[in-house]
Amino acid sequence: MSPRRSSDQSRLTVVSGPSGVGKGTVVAALRRRYPDVWVSVSATTRPPRPGERHGVQYFFTSDADFAAMAEEGALLEWANFAGYRYGTPREPVLSTLADGLPALLEIELQGARQIRAAMPEAQLVFLTSPSWAELERRLVQRGTEPADVIAARLAQARVELAARGEFDVVVCNDDVGRAAEELVQLVRHPRQRPG
Ligand code: 5GP
């Protein structure tokens, strides 16, 4: 692997953490405050929630188109989550890194593990909530999903909480603005990984 390629990888930050911890909210705050920071827009087979727009929060994609992208190798990583598929378009991430710029992905745990395997120098940030009760409250209060979807997300959140030791840095979402500030510092100045 060339030195150039490895320095590209080290500019990639992945933020992950349990559903309901506020990853989307923290990253949205970061995007508002720092529009110059490049944030990947994922493809998903999930239907849009009210207010979500194609190409902004996600590229909303059919099952067939998602499968074709995965098949062609057009996704850097992808995962099934709560009945839908989510994936990171490969080319925009690689070209941003090749331009010498930092890049941020907001993805769930299976995807973060795929990035760790494929791009070991990427910085993995775990966003956590101040408590389990707080996480549960946020998941239930979101109010946009049926009860079985919330139950699936809570089960998934317990699995994801146990994975924090796999991450390089832990950020607590005790306050959205504060967490966004901590995250942007990490994106701009990634922690060096040992070795
Ligand atoms: P939501 O449906 O609430 O927008 O997202 C559900 C989960 O999918 C969240 O944990 C979110 O971080 C994750 N997610 C969003 N985009 C991607 C992606 O491209 N890849 C993976 N692996 N997970 C994603």
Side-chain angles (χ1 to χ4, degrees):
M1 191 177 293
S2 73
R4 178 61 210 265
R5 174 121 181 258
S6 69
S7 70
D8 281 2
Q9 285 186 18
S10 66
R11 283 190 297 276
L12 178 62
T13 297
V14 174
V15 63
S16 194
S19 179
V21 79
K23 295 189 293 296
T25 312
V26 169
V27 171
L30 184 153
R31 287 174 82 171
R32 266 197 311 279
R33 290 176 186 208
Y34 302 99
D36 58 305
V37 172
W38 189 85
V39 182
S40 169
V41 178
S42 297
T44 184
T45 60
R46 159 169 91 57
R49 296 190 185 118
E52 287 185 334
R53 284 188 294 138
H54 183 76
V56 179
Q57 287 82 11
Y58 285 104
F59 295 107
F60 296 99
T61 318
S62 68
D63 284 337
D65 286 350
F66 194 100
M69 283 190 289
E71 180 80 9
E72 286 162 9
L75 299 175
L76 199 53
E77 59 72 37
W78 66 270
N80 286 304
F81 184 91
Y84 298 107
R85 283 184 287 171
Y86 297 81
T88 303
R90 179 188 297 275
E91 199 282 326
V93 175
L94 296 189
S95 66
T96 300
L97 296 176
D99 285 347
L101 297 171
L104 176 62
L105 311 185
E106 184 253 287
I107 62 178
E108 53 66 70
L109 179 64
Q110 304 162 69
R113 287 182 174 140
Q114 290 171 46
I115 297 292
R116 165 109 312 158
M119 303 175 86
E121 290 179 38
Q123 168 179 246
L124 265 57
V125 176
F126 191 83
L127 191 68
T128 191
S129 94
S131 69
W132 173 256
E134 173 66 14
L135 188 60
E136 200 169 14
R137 192 185 62 76
R138 285 189 203 166
L139 272 172
V140 172
Q141 276 193 355
R142 189 188 263 168
T144 49
E145 284 103 5
D148 59 334
V149 173
I150 291 173
R153 283 174 183 243
L154 279 171
Q156 188 67 25
R158 284 196 185 276
V159 172
E160 292 196 336
L161 273 176
R164 61 189 278 165
E166 298 172 34
F167 286 71
D168 301 312
V169 191
V170 176
V171 170
C172 181
N173 185 19
D174 46 7
D175 175 86
V176 172
R178 194 210 61 75
E181 294 295 329
E182 192 175 343
L183 185 57
V184 81
Q185 289 304 320
L186 290 165
V187 169
R188 289 181 168 162
H189 310 287
R191 298 260 174 98
Q192 290 294 313
R193 284 179 51 71

